[in-house]
């Protein structure tokens, strides 16, 4: 009944070929218009999951209440000298905050006035005491420098140090670190290697290194949602602002750009490049394989045209049904081409093998119509069964909470029906228009008849080998040898600008992106949770609003005020000397040299004063321009640090209510809930370390959220979704195949190779250590779609009396279908995008396993009949 109906459809479309052609062309134009208006693509992996799940609701709630943590750009400022980082950050923040066209705000936490003013109070009392004593000891010299912030003042001050040594009033050891810093800078200058001197390092010593080599500026860009790269204009404006900074122009400072806004734009660009390349390669290389399969452009062009129209119509459906594609559902195009080409090749090869010849031009059209009619009757029901089964396999993924594959299942499942309709209507019409020759001799692989006989003769040995393979695959599956890598960073292009910059943050435990978040209802509850979480072995640091309120203020404030009483009058000197001339610098240097020479007998060979003296002996004879350059490098940041020190010596008592709004908003909601941010120990964490971190956090706070929690929960969701979907797909396929074939044996003959190819794929990915991820997870639905199609063709032909499956037209169609699909997957595997490359590789592996199972296992599996030869 189905065969007769399909034959009538094929006959109608063949007789009205131009009408069918025009109708599909109009449908394609409408589909393109709809796609251009409605279709969007997102690379945000957080949108791949259902909002009904508790962990996703918590994650979305965090994003809603702390919006400044998402959709941001981050400038990472790198410099050897901390003052250059701080000043560059300050300049950049000011420029971005003035750019209201592209940015909502910009800030640099390290330069926040509140944190700068209270910086000393965040030190532990013993460290604070040591720091203040160091500064107080330097009071006489700071007084001199504050009055003359030039190299002249510096050398005069060093002369005072020498006088103190001479009179046994100064212990040189106390100033050894600072003097070594001066000596290093002067030694470089004497070699004409000019470098600014860091007063922050000199005054704070080891404390300055605690902040690391980087300082960050966070900016919230205004997105252009109509653009393929929404933050593109903001990034361009940010780069322009960076290039205008003098420290960057001189090469003293490097600024790297990252942030989820930047990475998402790059991800979209890279993914689309991979997909476009894959589709282009699919059509180009498919044409090459089609030539080998059918040997004439009069069939190749119809197949390619059918693929193109079918893909356009499927994309139009996706625009209406889904609207926004994600990193998984965007792969529907590859799936469509991969399976739809199989339907078209099956039809065309069977058409090419019809036993009908045209004697002359007068009956050529009639012969074509007759051949198409017979092809529709002979193979139409097979393609119908294969497409419905493939569609059912894809649609089985729609009930899951994994939105990415849910969308893919819906689009690809519908795409199979569209491919079926196009194959049975548009393809016959196109073949009628172009009227290719019908050559029966080319239909199959006659030379493989001997191999058919050998497979039948040694079938039990072949089945035994595959049984062993199946057992190994089941063991790997049960033993959970296959892992799912839910870390979204592992599917991104590590060579992109954003990911290179992010790696700098990932290498620092204080800026590790694998954080967790816990909410508390009150400061008391937050403090209790902070104390508990801080004791966990996997936790590096815990930050909450209370972290900005220094501890032991009653002890620290008097200590700082005592130091301020000694230092503030010194630092607030209003009578500052003017910039010295080159001759004045030489005089000051010579005085310094004379004083050092007077104490040569008490200096050790490794004394920093001795090093300074040797350097000055070369510098004093340098040109005036060089002397002025050295002057500027030595004191460039002196005024900046003296001003900072003056601010830090005037702290006041701080409570939670004193924390400025821009900081408080990051750790407290409008309705008074407190966010606790938790950083794990280590850098570049693997999945096992992340899982341990999340498990420990949840032992204290079961409802934790954050990046690490999302990674673990998304992995669990994906694994659970695919188990459910796979079971549903197999059951659905079994029902559909049983309805189509009406025998349990035949149903098993289709499903057993399908399951075997899946187990073979598992073995291969375990052996090559290829984990599943968000990109390559589409292997399973493709495996079902392609595998069930291939197997149905062989089993249905066997039911109709086919004796030699490997030498049949079906084998030829299956082989070239696999080659065309495999070529497309190979182009994806060569992509620069790791996610796309892993998808192409795994698809290639699964296709190879499917082909081996179909061409070797199926011929051996088919039961012996009376018509079969021994």
């Amino acid at each position: 009944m189905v065969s007769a109906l399909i034959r009538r459809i094929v006959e109608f479309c063949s007789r009205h070929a131009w009408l069918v052609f025009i109708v599909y062309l109009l449908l394609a134009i409408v589909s393109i218009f709809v796609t251009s208006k409605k279709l969007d693509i997102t690379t945000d992996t957080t949108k791949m999951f259902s909002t009904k799940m508790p962990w996703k609701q918590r994650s979305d709630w965090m994003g809603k209440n702390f919006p400044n943590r998402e959709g941001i750009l981050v400038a990472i400022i790198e410099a050897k000298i901390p003052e250059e980082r701080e000043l560059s950050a300050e300049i950049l923040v000011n420029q971005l905050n003035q750019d209201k066209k592209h940015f909502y705000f910009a800030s640099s936490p390290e330069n926040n006035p509140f944190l700068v003013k209270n910086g000393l109070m965040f030190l532990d009392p013993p460290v604070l005491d040591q720091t203040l004593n160091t500064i107080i000891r330097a009071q006489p010299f700071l007084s001199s420098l504050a009055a003359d912030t030039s190299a002249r003042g510096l050398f005069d001050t060093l002369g005072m140090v020498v006088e103190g040594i001479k009179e046994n009033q100064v212990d040189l050891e106390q100033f050894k670190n600072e003097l070594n810093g001066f000596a290093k800078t002067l030694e470089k200058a004497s070699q004409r290697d000019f470098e600014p001197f860091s007063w922050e390092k000199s005054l704070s010593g080891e404390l300055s290194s605690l902040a690391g080599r980087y300082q960050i500026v966070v900016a919230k860009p205004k997105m252009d949602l109509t653009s393929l790269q929404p933050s593109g204009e903001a990034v361009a404006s940010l780069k322009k602002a960076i290039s205008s900074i003098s420290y960057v122009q001189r090469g003293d400072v490097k600024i790297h750009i990252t942030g989820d806004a930047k990475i998402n734009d790059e991800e979209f660009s890279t993914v689309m490049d991979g997909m476009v390349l894959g589709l282009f390669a699919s059509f180009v290389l498919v044409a090459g394989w089609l030539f080998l399969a059918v040997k004439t452009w009069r069939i190749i062009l119809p197949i390619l045209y059918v693929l193109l129209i079918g893909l356009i119509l499927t994309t139009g459906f996706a625009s209406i049904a889904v609207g926004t594609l994600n990193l998984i559902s965007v792969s529907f195009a590859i799936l469509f081409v991969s399976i739809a080409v199989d339907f078209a090749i099956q039809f065309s090869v069977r058409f090419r093998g019809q036993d009908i010849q045209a004697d002359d031009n007068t009956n050529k059209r009639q012969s074509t119509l007759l051949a198409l009619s017979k092809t529709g009757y002979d193979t139409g029901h097979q393609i119908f069964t294969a497409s419905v089964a493939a569609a059912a396999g894809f649609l089985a993924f729609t009930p899951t909470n994994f939105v990415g594959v849910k969308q893919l299942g819906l689009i690809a499942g519908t795409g199979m029906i569209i491919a079926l309709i196009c194959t049975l209507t548009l393809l016959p019409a196109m073949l009628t228009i172009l009227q290719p020759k019908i050559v029966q001799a080319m239909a199959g692989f006659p030379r493989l008849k001997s191999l058919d006989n050998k497979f039948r003769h040694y079938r039990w040995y072949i089945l035994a080998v595959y049984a062993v393979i199946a057992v190994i695959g089941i063991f790997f599956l049960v033993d959970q040898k296959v892992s799912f890598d839910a870390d979204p960073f592992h599917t991104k292009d590590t060579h992109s600008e954003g990911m290179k910059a992010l790696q700098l943050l990932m290498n620092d435990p204080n800026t590790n992106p694998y954080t967790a978040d816990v909410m508390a209802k009150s400061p008391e509850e937050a403090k209790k949770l902070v104390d508990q979480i801080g004791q966990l072995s996997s936790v590096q640091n815990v930050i909450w609003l209370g972290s900005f309120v220094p501890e032991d203020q009653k002890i620290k404030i008097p200590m700082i005020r005592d130091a301020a009483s000694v230092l503030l009058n010194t630092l607030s000197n209003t009578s500052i000397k003017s910039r010295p001339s080159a001759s004045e610098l030489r005089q000051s240097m010579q005085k310094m040299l004379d004083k050092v020479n007077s104490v040569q007998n008490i200096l050790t060979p490794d004394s920093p004063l001795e090093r300074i003296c040797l350097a000055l002996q070369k510098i004093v004879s340098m040109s005036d321009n060089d002397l002025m350059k050295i002057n500027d490098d030595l004191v460039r940041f002196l005024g900046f640090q003296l001003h900072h020190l003056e601010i830090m010596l005037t702290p006041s008592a701080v409570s939670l209510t004193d924390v400025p709004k821009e900081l408080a908003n990051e750790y407290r909601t409008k309705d008074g809930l407190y966010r606790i941010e938790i950083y794990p120990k280590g850098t570049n964490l693997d999945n096992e370390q992340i899982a341990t971190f999340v498990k420990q956090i949840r032992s204290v706070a079961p409802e934790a959220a954050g990046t690490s929690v999302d990674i673990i929960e998304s992995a669990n969701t994906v694994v659970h979704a695919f188990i459910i979907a796979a079971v549903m797909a197999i059951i659905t396929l079994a029902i559909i195949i049983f309805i189509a074939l009406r025998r349990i044996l035949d149903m098993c003959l289709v499903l057993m190779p399908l399951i075997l190819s899946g187990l073979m794929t598992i073995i291969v990915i375990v052996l090559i250590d290829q984990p599943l991820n968000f990109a390559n997870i589409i292997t399973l639905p493709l495996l079902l779609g392609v595998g069930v199609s291939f197997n149905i063709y062989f089993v249905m032909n066997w039911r109709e009396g086919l004796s030699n499956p490997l030498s049949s037209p079906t084998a030829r169609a299956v082989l070239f279908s696999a080659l065309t699909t495999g070529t497309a997957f190979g182009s994806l595997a060569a992509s620069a995008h790791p996610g796309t490359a892993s998808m192409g590789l795994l698809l290639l592996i699964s296709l190879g396993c499917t082909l081996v199972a179909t061409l070797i296992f199926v011929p051996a599996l088919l039961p012996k009949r009376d018509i079969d030869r021994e």
Side-chain angles (χ1 to χ4, degrees):
M1 181 176 177
V2 174
S3 297
L5 176 62
I6 293 175
R7 178 172 63 185
R8 286 195 291 271
I9 293 173
V10 171
E11 289 174 349
F12 176 85
C13 294
S14 301
R15 289 195 300 269
H16 302 86
W18 283 106
L19 174 62
V20 173
F21 174 82
I22 293 172
V23 169
Y24 271 101
L25 187 61
L26 292 175
L27 288 173
I29 293 173
V30 173
S31 182
I32 291 172
F33 176 78
V34 172
T35 299
S36 65
K37 296 295 183 182
K38 290 183 173 292
L39 189 63
D40 193 13
I41 300 175
T42 178
T43 57
D44 187 354
T45 55
T46 64
K47 295 182 179 179
M48 287 188 182
F49 301 95
S50 171
T51 56
K52 297 178 181 179
M53 294 180 292
W55 72 268
K56 187 64 171 63
Q57 291 175 345
R58 289 194 293 270
S59 180
D60 291 343
W61 184 90
M62 294 293 295
K64 180 180 179 181
N65 283 272
F66 301 100
N68 291 342
R69 301 173 66 227
E70 297 180 349
I72 60 172
L73 293 173
V74 178
I76 305 173
I77 304 173
E78 179 182 8
K80 294 180 181 179
I81 299 174
E83 290 94 335
E84 291 178 337
R85 294 196 299 265
E86 295 167 16
L87 289 170
S88 296
E90 185 177 302
I91 294 169
L92 187 58
V93 167
N94 290 336
Q95 289 194 42
L96 298 184
N97 281 327
Q98 292 173 11
D99 185 2
K100 299 301 182 183
K101 179 181 177 181
H102 298 108
F103 298 96
Y104 291 105
F105 74 88
S107 65
S108 179
E110 294 92 335
N111 283 3
N112 186 282
F114 172 83
L115 297 179
V116 172
K117 180 177 180 180
N118 298 289
L120 289 174
M121 288 211 296
F122 289 102
L123 302 176
D124 291 332
V127 179
L128 175 61
D129 183 60
Q130 180 182 353
T131 302
L132 292 175
N133 286 336
T134 300
I135 298 174
I136 290 172
R137 283 197 304 267
Q139 188 273 337
F141 314 116
L142 291 176
S143 176
S144 174
L145 289 171
D148 186 1
T149 55
S150 68
R152 176 185 56 201
L154 173 59
F155 294 128
D156 290 346
T157 301
L158 289 176
M160 293 171 55
V161 173
V162 176
E163 289 292 335
I165 294 172
K166 189 174 182 180
E167 300 296 330
N168 292 323
Q169 295 178 351
V170 174
D171 182 4
L172 183 60
E173 193 65 27
Q174 293 181 346
F175 302 100
K176 187 173 183 179
N177 290 334
E178 292 83 353
L179 293 176
N180 277 326
F182 288 130
K184 182 179 178 181
T185 300
L186 291 173
E187 286 170 342
K188 287 188 173 183
S190 69
Q191 302 297 324
R192 302 185 62 79
D193 181 10
F194 302 112
E195 180 182 276
F197 178 71
S198 174
W199 288 90
E200 181 174 324
K201 288 182 178 180
S202 177
L203 293 174
S204 59
E206 295 181 359
L207 291 177
S208 65
S209 63
L210 297 179
R213 293 183 59 190
Y214 308 110
Q215 184 162 337
I216 65 172
V217 169
V218 178
K220 183 81 170 180
K222 294 182 178 179
M223 301 287 196
D224 179 8
L225 300 179
T226 63
S227 171
L228 295 178
Q229 295 187 332
S231 67
E233 289 189 11
V235 171
S237 181
L238 174 58
K239 288 184 175 181
K240 183 177 179 181
I242 289 172
S243 63
S244 68
I245 299 174
S246 59
Y247 300 112
V248 175
Q249 294 173 349
R250 290 198 299 267
D252 297 328
V253 170
K254 294 181 180 179
I255 301 182
H256 316 272
I257 303 175
T258 185
D260 57 344
K262 169 73 170 172
I263 291 174
N264 285 342
D265 280 0
E266 291 177 337
E267 180 83 346
F268 177 83
S269 177
T270 311
V271 168
M272 289 310 298
D273 286 347
M275 289 301 169
V276 170
L277 175 63
L279 279 177
F280 177 77
S282 296
F283 277 95
V284 172
L285 298 175
V286 160
W289 288 117
L290 288 177
F291 176 77
L292 295 176
V294 296
K295 296 290 185 178
T296 173
W297 64 268
R298 294 179 184 270
I299 293 181
I300 295 173
L301 287 183
I303 292 177
L304 293 177
Y305 184 72
V306 167
L307 290 180
L308 179 61
I309 295 296
L311 180 59
I312 291 173
L313 296 179
T314 304
T315 305
F317 168 79
S319 304
I320 298 172
V322 174
T324 301
L325 302 175
N326 54 51
L327 288 176
I328 291 181
S329 57
V330 73
S331 305
F332 81 88
I334 298 295
L335 290 181
F336 179 87
V337 172
S338 302
I339 302 179
V341 72
D342 171 61
F343 299 160
I345 290 176
Q346 286 290 339
F347 190 95
S348 300
V349 170
R350 296 291 289 272
F351 164 77
R352 190 77 160 152
Q354 293 297 332
D355 190 11
I356 297 174
Q357 299 291 336
D359 297 329
D360 51 54
N361 291 333
T362 58
N363 63 7
K364 184 175 182 180
R365 174 180 170 80
Q366 189 61 35
S367 298
T368 300
L369 294 176
L370 181 58
L372 288 171
S373 176
K374 290 189 63 177
T375 303
Y377 185 84
D378 292 342
T379 195
H381 65 298
Q382 296 180 1
I383 296 175
F384 173 81
T385 303
S387 63
V388 171
F394 287 131
L395 292 172
F397 289 82
T398 56
T400 70
N401 288 321
F402 188 14
V403 175
V405 80
K406 178 178 182 177
Q407 289 182 355
L408 180 64
L410 176 62
I411 300 170
T414 306
M416 293 302 95
I417 303 303
I418 293 174
L420 169 67
I421 296 172
C422 290
T423 302
L424 299 181
T425 57
L426 181 58
L427 182 57
M430 294 300 300
L431 291 173
T432 302
I433 292 172
L434 294 179
Q435 295 187 18
K437 291 183 180 180
I438 304 165
V439 185
Q440 182 187 16
M442 296 179 59
F445 295 118
R447 296 181 181 179
L448 294 184
K449 285 186 179 180
S450 60
L451 193 59
D452 271 315
N453 295 332
K454 289 182 180 179
F455 277 7
R456 301 302 301 170
H457 183 72
Y458 296 105
R459 63 188 300 257
W460 291 111
Y461 296 101
I462 296 173
L463 294 177
V465 171
Y466 277 106
V468 173
I469 293 174
V471 170
I472 296 173
I474 293 172
F475 171 76
F476 283 171
L477 186 62
V478 173
D479 200 42
Q480 297 182 349
K481 297 291 186 182
V482 181
S483 61
F484 182 83
D485 184 1
D487 190 338
F489 297 128
H490 292 170
T491 63
K492 301 184 187 299
D493 182 7
T494 56
H495 300 291
S496 68
E497 181 183 7
M499 283 302 297
K500 282 183 177 179
L502 181 64
Q503 190 64 45
L504 300 177
L505 299 181
M506 295 174 72
N507 290 332
D508 186 343
N510 294 318
T511 54
N512 197 320
Y514 299 104
T515 58
D517 295 313
V518 173
M519 299 304 299
K521 297 179 180 179
S522 66
E524 294 76 19
E525 182 183 352
K527 185 65 172 65
K528 181 179 178 181
L529 285 170
V530 167
D531 292 340
Q532 291 177 315
I533 294 171
Q535 296 176 5
L536 300 175
S537 61
S538 63
V539 172
Q540 170 76 22
N541 193 19
V542 183
I543 299 176
W544 71 295
L545 188 60
S547 301
F548 301 103
V549 179
E551 297 179 349
D552 302 320
Q553 293 186 48
K554 292 183 179 180
I555 299 174
K556 296 176 182 177
I557 290 178
M559 294 171 62
I560 297 174
R561 286 178 177 171
D562 286 344
S565 65
V566 177
L567 295 168
L568 279 183
N569 289 335
T570 296
L571 299 176
S572 57
N573 196 319
T574 57
S575 56
I576 301 176
K577 294 182 179 181
S578 60
R579 188 170 185 258
S581 64
S583 61
E584 289 176 321
L585 288 174
R586 282 195 176 86
Q587 292 175 9
S588 181
M589 290 180 190
Q590 192 59 55
K591 289 180 182 179
M592 167 76 181
L593 287 170
D594 293 341
K595 289 182 179 181
V596 172
N597 288 330
S598 68
V599 294
Q600 283 285 351
N601 60 323
I602 60 174
L603 294 179
T604 59
D606 63 341
S607 169
L609 283 176
E610 187 68 29
R611 293 171 57 198
I612 291 172
C613 186
L614 292 174
L616 287 179
Q617 288 174 358
K618 297 179 181 178
I619 292 173
V620 74
S621 61
M622 294 174 72
S623 68
D624 289 355
N625 287 338
D626 287 341
L627 287 181
M628 298 311 295
K629 170 66 175 172
I630 293 171
N631 173 78
D632 294 341
D633 283 344
L634 285 174
V635 298
R636 180 178 299 170
F637 304 121
L638 177 57
F640 174 76
Q641 285 302 330
L642 292 177
H643 177 64
H644 264 212
L645 181 58
E646 187 176 355
I647 294 174
M648 294 168 69
L649 289 172
T650 58
S652 57
V654 177
S655 65
L656 286 177
T657 58
D658 296 317
V659 179
K661 184 178 180 180
E662 64 270 16
L663 289 176
N665 287 345
E666 296 299 311
Y667 294 93
R668 184 175 58 204
T669 64
K670 293 179 180 179
D671 54 355
L673 296 178
Y674 293 83
R675 182 174 74 91
I676 302 168
E677 188 173 30
I678 309 156
Y679 288 83
K681 284 184 179 177
T683 58
N684 289 311
L685 304 185
D686 56 30
N687 289 305
E688 185 176 348
Q689 290 172 311
I690 296 173
T692 300
F693 173 64
V694 171
K695 183 178 180 180
Q696 289 190 4
I697 298 299
R698 282 181 160 173
S699 68
V700 176
E703 294 190 349
T707 303
S708 293
V709 176
D710 288 350
I711 288 174
I712 298 303
E713 286 291 359
S714 59
N716 294 336
T717 301
V718 169
V719 172
H720 181 264
F722 268 85
I723 291 174
I724 298 299
V727 172
M728 290 180 61
I730 295 297
I731 294 173
T732 305
L733 288 173
I735 294 172
I736 290 176
I737 294 170
F738 178 75
I739 293 173
L741 303 182
R742 298 183 301 279
R743 289 201 314 186
I744 293 179
L745 174 62
D746 296 350
M747 178 191 73
C748 293
L749 292 176
V750 173
L751 291 180
M752 286 177 64
L754 185 64
I755 296 172
L756 177 63
S757 59
L759 294 173
M760 291 170 63
T761 301
I762 289 173
I763 293 174
V764 175
I765 63 177
V766 169
L767 292 178
I768 67 173
D769 194 24
Q770 172 65 61
L772 298 176
N773 56 47
F774 286 120
N776 63 30
I777 197 70
I778 69 165
T779 298
L780 180 55
L782 178 90
L783 185 66
L784 294 175
V786 173
V788 75
S789 299
F790 288 177
N791 299 336
I792 282 175
Y793 299 142
F794 276 105
V795 172
M796 294 187 76
N797 284 331
W798 171 79
R799 279 165 53 99
E800 295 172 4
L802 181 68
S803 299
N804 300 299
L806 288 180
S807 59
S808 68
T810 299
R812 183 184 185 90
V814 165
L815 177 61
F816 281 101
S817 175
L819 290 173
T820 54
T821 303
T823 302
F825 295 163
S827 67
L828 292 179
S831 171
H833 183 261
T836 303
S838 70
M839 177 176 65
L841 175 62
L842 208 52
L843 288 173
L844 200 58
I845 291 171
S846 66
L847 180 66
C849 293
T850 299
L851 191 62
V852 170
T854 300
L855 296 182
I856 299 178
F857 180 64
V858 171
L861 182 66
L862 295 175
K864 181 177 177 295
R865 301 160 301 180
D866 293 337
I867 61 173
D868 293 328
R869 294 175 55 190
E870 287 293 337

